[in-house]
Amino acid sequence: MDIILEIVDTLLLDRIYATLLPASPSSYVEQKFNNATTTTFSSMRESATSTPQYTYIYEPASRLISLDPTEWTYSSSWPRDNIFRQGISLFFIVWFFGLILYFLCASLSYYFVFDKATFKHPKYLKNQIRMEISQANRAMPLMSLLTALCMLAEVRGYSKLYDLPSEAPFGWYNVLQFPFFVLFTDLCIYWIHRGLHHPRVYKTLHKPHHKWIVPTPYASHAFHPLDGFAQSIPYHLFPFLFPLQKFAYIALFVFINIWTIFIHDGEYYANSPLINGAACHTAHHLYFNFNYGQFTTLWDRLGGSYRKPDEEWFKRETKMGQKEWEKQSREMEKIVKEVEGRDDRGYLTEDVKKVQ
């Protein structure tokens, strides 16, 4: 994430911090002079009065890509490596780009993939999309703050992220890191997600996400913020335990967010015994205590919680049929009584029946 931070600093944040927290003229000249004469990231020097003076020295976050610093880079009393500046910047970067990614990808999925016939499902909620978006927007600030704290530790050099592919532990690691990341995070998320279904935790943290029995793409980020962050912990934990290339880290972070939308779009491409796609995750929303995995069905199979999606879901003529919906509803109603007790959701079909 230090690469993203450097890019945003150069294009935008340097000027904002220089405007809000300007450096003194002598400090500005000193920082530019030191940056021009050394390649050290930062240094301590003794002034004429023997008072320690901190000097920020620019060093690119990556040897593969970098942007030359501008005059604004040295114009703030909070230099780029100030811990408070980094934390605040990361918070707003994660929040802003999270919103962009959410609305862009969820909207594209909604308009081009999501089947609008779902609105007629007996378990579709009144004003559901508006409520999904509202829940996601309420959750994102706190999720972004907790995420930024993890990324701050990474930017400060506590992770095992590496820059050049040649710095990998061994030759094939640059390829193997991707399936390794998926398997590790899938295992961790399985147990975290399953733990969130414990009766003492479910009603407080996880129930807000299970409000959506037949989710739309906008439900992908509609969590209680602590629930959403808890399920993201394995993604942040991985680079502190295992080597991960910096650009791979960025790519995987984007992939995770897109995948989360993908498994909520209701389009069942993957009739696979291995991939935990939208069909498997729809079964989880309908029947609660199955298919806790994020990417694969491996850990659900080993943990005895796998439920194979019905074959009817992969046939257009039966997937959206009233007979299939009624069968789903009957089973869901039995399970929701066991898991939640009273079902307090307001279904659109019930509202329509009252009008009729």
Side-chain angles (χ1 to χ4, degrees):
M1 188 53 68
D2 55 352
I3 297 172
I4 300 297
L5 188 56
E6 179 181 307
I7 293 171
V8 179
D9 271 334
T10 305
L11 299 179
L12 177 65
L13 295 181
D14 281 342
R15 185 161 188 166
I16 291 177
Y17 282 106
T19 302
L20 298 177
L21 298 163
S24 63
S26 60
S27 174
Y28 169 77
V29 172
E30 181 182 42
Q31 290 192 61
K32 288 202 72 175
F33 174 78
N34 277 275
N35 187 73
T37 57
T38 183
T39 57
T40 307
F41 179 72
S42 61
S43 63
M44 294 292 292
R45 62 177 285 275
E46 295 292 327
S47 70
T49 59
S50 298
T51 302
Q53 298 290 322
Y54 176 77
T55 304
Y56 167 72
I57 307 299
Y58 168 75
E59 182 176 285
S62 172
R63 283 165 284 177
L64 297 174
I65 182 174
S66 64
L67 297 176
D68 292 333
T70 67
E71 62 176 305
W72 301 104
T73 303
Y74 315 103
S75 302
S76 174
S77 59
W78 277 15
R80 285 186 180 181
D81 60 348
N82 179 286
I83 189 171
F84 299 107
R85 169 174 168 167
Q86 289 176 331
I88 293 169
S89 298
L90 287 168
F91 166 68
F92 283 106
I93 289 170
V94 172
W95 188 7
F96 177 76
F97 285 103
L99 284 172
I100 295 294
L101 199 61
Y102 168 66
F103 279 108
L104 176 62
C105 295
S107 296
L108 288 172
S109 177
Y110 174 76
Y111 285 107
F112 296 107
V113 178
F114 179 70
D115 194 331
K116 310 305 184 293
T118 304
F119 297 154
K120 298 179 181 178
H121 194 289
K123 297 305 175 185
Y124 183 80
L125 305 184
K126 181 182 179 182
N127 300 320
Q128 179 168 318
I129 290 177
R130 187 175 70 184
M131 289 191 294
E132 289 170 340
I133 293 173
S134 177
Q135 176 65 46
N137 277 286
R138 290 196 304 272
M140 279 192 184
L142 181 54
M143 287 196 294
S144 299
L145 175 62
L146 297 171
T147 299
L149 291 174
C150 297
M151 291 181 171
L152 180 61
E154 170 257 303
V155 167
R156 303 292 293 183
Y158 294 101
S159 73
K160 296 181 181 292
L161 290 172
Y162 63 92
D163 185 26
L164 300 179
S166 59
E167 297 171 351
F170 53 88
W172 280 95
Y173 190 81
N174 288 303
V175 176
L176 295 176
Q177 63 183 330
F178 294 100
F180 183 31
F181 177 91
V182 168
L183 289 173
F184 173 82
T185 56
D186 202 38
L187 168 62
C188 295
I189 291 170
Y190 171 80
W191 287 110
I192 291 171
H193 192 178
R194 189 162 185 168
L196 286 164
H197 277 260
H198 189 281
R200 293 184 180 179
V201 180
Y202 174 81
K203 289 186 179 180
T204 303
L205 293 185
H206 199 49
K207 184 180 176 181
H209 187 63
H210 270 276
K211 186 181 184 74
W212 332 114
I213 302 300
V214 282
T216 80
Y218 294 106
S220 57
H221 291 66
F223 289 93
H224 184 290
L226 295 182
D227 175 8
F229 176 72
Q231 294 193 60
S232 73
I233 288 175
Y235 309 139
H236 307 304
L237 184 63
F238 185 92
F240 290 95
L241 297 178
F242 309 104
L244 186 65
Q245 202 275 330
K246 288 184 177 183
F247 286 96
Y249 174 76
I250 296 169
L252 286 166
F253 187 77
V254 173
F255 164 73
I256 290 159
N257 281 274
I258 294 174
W259 180 268
T260 303
I261 293 168
F262 172 76
I263 62 175
H264 288 89
D265 66 11
E267 191 61 37
Y268 309 145
Y269 296 113
N271 187 7
S272 166
L274 179 62
I275 299 173
N276 184 54
C280 284
H281 199 67
T282 295
H284 175 74
H285 275 264
L286 277 167
Y287 307 128
F288 294 81
N289 297 324
F290 303 94
N291 301 349
Y292 299 109
Q294 180 80 351
F295 301 114
T296 76
T297 63
L298 173 61
W299 310 114
D300 280 295
R301 290 176 180 277
L302 294 174
S305 55
Y306 175 65
R307 174 164 179 155
K308 182 181 179 182
D310 297 341
E311 289 297 324
E312 288 81 1
W313 295 8
F314 298 95
K315 301 173 184 176
R316 180 64 59 182
E317 62 273 15
T318 55
K319 173 188 173 184
M320 293 295 180
Q322 196 66 34
K323 183 178 179 180
E324 178 63 24
W325 286 351
E326 289 174 358
K327 183 180 77 171
Q328 293 172 3
S329 299
R330 284 194 300 269
E331 186 170 359
M332 171 264 167
E333 287 165 2
K334 291 179 182 178
I335 296 173
V336 80
K337 287 181 181 179
E338 298 171 4
V339 174
E340 298 180 0
R342 185 176 66 89
D343 186 356
D344 56 3
R345 298 167 182 81
Y347 299 106
L348 181 61
T349 53
E350 293 176 355
D351 206 57
V352 171
K353 287 178 182 177
K354 288 179 183 178
V355 174
Q356 292 175 343

